[in-house]
């Protein structure tokens, strides 16, 4: 991850643009990218802060505050789908979450859901084990 520009440079860029010069001129003068100056000035006007946003670290999931709701819904209806759960979460709390992110949240918190109790995949009707041989006839015992 790239390192943030220094506070000194940020102060000089903000002062340059605030004095009436363009953002493109500021980028050329301080030898930084135009996108940095544009994005920095936009953030500076909105927040009034010159300091960069904190970098790194772990972001907290927006679903953590709704842990009790999610676990209660799964306990009530164990075959609920993730899209249904996402729709109920929006209706109950107003928090919008993608079904895939809800699934990842459950996995990250140690909850795994299998399709059947044995934990094995179900076989299709065409692939069931049978006593028939490769040619379709019943297998014979080898007399030798």
């Amino acid at each position: 991850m790239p390192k943030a520009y220094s506070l000194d440079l940020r102060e000089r860029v903000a002062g340059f643009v605030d004095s009436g010069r363009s953002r493109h001129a500021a980028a050329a003068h301080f030898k930084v990218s135009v996108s940095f100056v544009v994005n920095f000035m936009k953030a500076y006007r909105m927040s009034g802060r010159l300091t960069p946003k904190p970098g790194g670290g772990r972001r907290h999931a927006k679903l953590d505050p709704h842990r009790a709701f999610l676990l209660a819904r799964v306990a009530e209806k164990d075959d609920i789908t993730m899209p249904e759960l996402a729709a109920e979460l929006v209706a109950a709390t107003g928090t919008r979450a993608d079904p895939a992110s809800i699934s990842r949240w459950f996995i990250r918190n140690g909850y795994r859901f299998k399709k059947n109790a044995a934990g094995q995949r179900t076989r299709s009707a065409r692939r069931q084990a049978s006593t028939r041989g490769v040619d379709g006839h019943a297998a014979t015992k080898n007399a030798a």
Side-chain angles (χ1 to χ4, degrees):
M1 186 169 170
K3 191 174 178 182
Y5 286 115
S6 69
L7 186 59
D8 177 52
L9 177 65
R10 290 169 171 268
E11 289 170 351
R12 289 185 285 144
V13 168
F16 193 84
V17 174
D18 284 341
S19 69
R21 297 198 180 100
S22 73
R23 293 176 172 142
H24 285 265
H29 181 76
F30 293 105
K31 295 185 174 109
V32 294
S33 69
V34 175
S35 65
F36 162 71
V37 177
V38 169
N39 291 334
F40 166 65
M41 290 307 296
K42 180 180 177 184
Y44 173 62
R45 305 262 178 188
M46 289 183 71
S47 69
R49 293 182 314 118
L50 293 170
T51 57
K53 290 187 230 173
R58 183 173 178 269
R59 294 186 333 174
H60 298 286
K62 68 179 178 180
L63 296 175
D64 283 342
H66 307 293
R67 177 186 197 91
F69 172 80
L70 293 170
L71 295 178
R73 285 302 299 138
V74 170
E76 288 174 22
K77 185 177 176 191
D78 58 349
D79 62 341
I80 191 168
T81 64
M82 293 299 152
E84 290 172 349
L85 193 56
E88 289 184 19
L89 182 67
V90 170
T93 65
T95 302
R96 220 172 257 292
D98 193 61
S101 66
I102 295 175
S103 177
R104 284 190 303 270
W105 182 85
F106 274 114
I107 291 168
R108 194 169 45 247
N109 285 285
Y111 296 96
R112 304 278 194 279
F113 301 103
K114 299 283 186 179
K115 288 290 184 183
N116 58 16
Q120 300 172 353
R121 290 179 172 233
T122 57
R123 296 183 71 143
S124 66
R126 292 184 291 147
R127 301 284 300 172
Q128 299 228 346
S130 69
T131 58
R132 300 219 175 254
V134 175
D135 59 354
H137 297 343
T140 58
K141 297 237 182 213
N142 191 351

